[in-house]
Amino acid sequence: HHIVEVKNLRHVYPDGTAALSDISFRITHGESVAIIGANGAGKSTLLLHLNGYLAPTAGEIRIGDFPMNKATLPEIRRTVGMVFQDPDDQLFMPTVYDDVAFGPLNLGLFGAEVEQRVMDALQRVGAVHLQEKAPYHLSGGEKKRVAIATVLSMSPDILVMDEPTNGLDPFARRQLMGLLKDFHHTKIFTSHDLDMVLELCERTIILNQGEVKADGPTREIFQNE
Ligand code: ADP
Ligand code: ADP
């Protein structure tokens, strides 16, 4: 049974740019999938469809048992945790703690359960010591880790990340890779960091000008390129 199904996805931006032509793939529960390709290939556009931030021009997306549409969007947003490329797009509360608590509170949780989820998420990204800080004042790498914690605290079944190691120093990058290895649910991310892809993703999809150019086991894909 597939947890993600993308069928004949097409996306044309309002200015006429056809960012995705006709994309199809399916992802099995627990798979770890990299989406790679040159700048402008359509990677970000594709990710933004996976929790409904963009709606398809044509084609269909299913997440678990839900076909994506307006009615299922709230359920899908609980299932798919999205880490944006720019952490400033997801940090907006006065403190780090509040930002990481926002998701669980939104799920209707409260009290000790929220606190435990926040502390667990902060610990996994190595940011417990930042909890009282204003996200605004953090370094780029710290912001990135906190942005990831805001998603982990919601316990998503699917973790979607756009260029997760972008802007991280080597130590923070290592730490993030360890964290992702320990995340045993489905992972989908774009990356230019091919070493990370080799280490973390059993499967790689190459996009080229809005089309799937290759899709298969990462080692085979890398050998053929
Ligand atoms: P990637 O993430 O692989 O770099 P993108 O999905 O960001 O690729 O972009 C795919 C194509 O869509 C590019 O040609 C890009 O210029 C274009 N594009 C991205 N965002 C927009 C937008 N908001 N409006 C118009 N064109 C866009
Ligand atoms: P808008 O208010 O911008 O016209 P809608 O009300 O049509 O957007 O949709 C609200 C949200 O649901 C948007 O974020 C949109 O991306 C998403 N959405 C709507 N329909 C679909 C669909 N068929 N597939 C994926 N996402 C969708």
Side-chain angles (χ1 to χ4, degrees), residues 150-203:
T150 66
V151 170
L152 291 179
S153 64
M154 295 183 71
S155 299
D157 288 337
I158 307 172
L159 186 58
V160 176
M161 292 182 290
D162 200 347
E163 295 286 351
T165 56
N166 229 10
L168 296 187
D169 63 42
F171 178 77
R173 173 179 174 277
R174 260 284 133 215
Q175 192 178 38
L176 175 65
M177 282 169 61
L179 164 93
L180 294 178
K181 267 192 181 157
D182 290 340
F183 184 87
H184 296 300
H185 301 291
T186 310
K187 297 184 275 261
I188 304 168
F189 52 84
T190 69
S191 190
H192 292 293
D193 183 343
L194 298 185
D195 290 331
M196 176 179 71
V197 170
L198 255 182
E199 194 169 325
L200 290 182
C201 301
E202 67 230 22
R203 175 176 170 197

Side-chain angles (χ1 to χ4, degrees), residues 49 51-56 61 68-70 73 77:
H49 282 79
N51 64 351
Y53 283 102
L54 287 175
I61 297 167
M68 192 175 304
N69 56 46
K70 270 188 197 176
L73 203 55
R77 295 232 169 121

Side-chain angles (χ1 to χ4, degrees), residues 4 50-51 63 68 75-82 151 156-160:
V4 175
L50 296 180
N51 64 351
I63 302 292
M68 192 175 304
E75 182 63 36
I76 284 173
R77 295 232 169 121
R78 279 193 284 276
T79 307
V80 181
M82 170 83 78
V151 170
D157 288 337
I158 307 172
L159 186 58
V160 176

Side-chain angles (χ1 to χ4, degrees), residues 37-58:
N39 288 329
K43 304 181 295 294
S44 296
T45 304
L46 173 58
L47 290 196
L48 290 172
H49 282 79
L50 296 180
N51 64 351
Y53 283 102
L54 287 175
T57 303

Side-chain angles (χ1 to χ4, degrees), residues 208-224:
N208 183 43
Q209 297 187 347
E211 293 180 7
V212 174
K213 185 182 170 204
D215 179 356
T218 298
R219 276 172 198 287
E220 283 176 27
I221 296 276
F222 280 24
Q223 268 157 21
N224 295 337

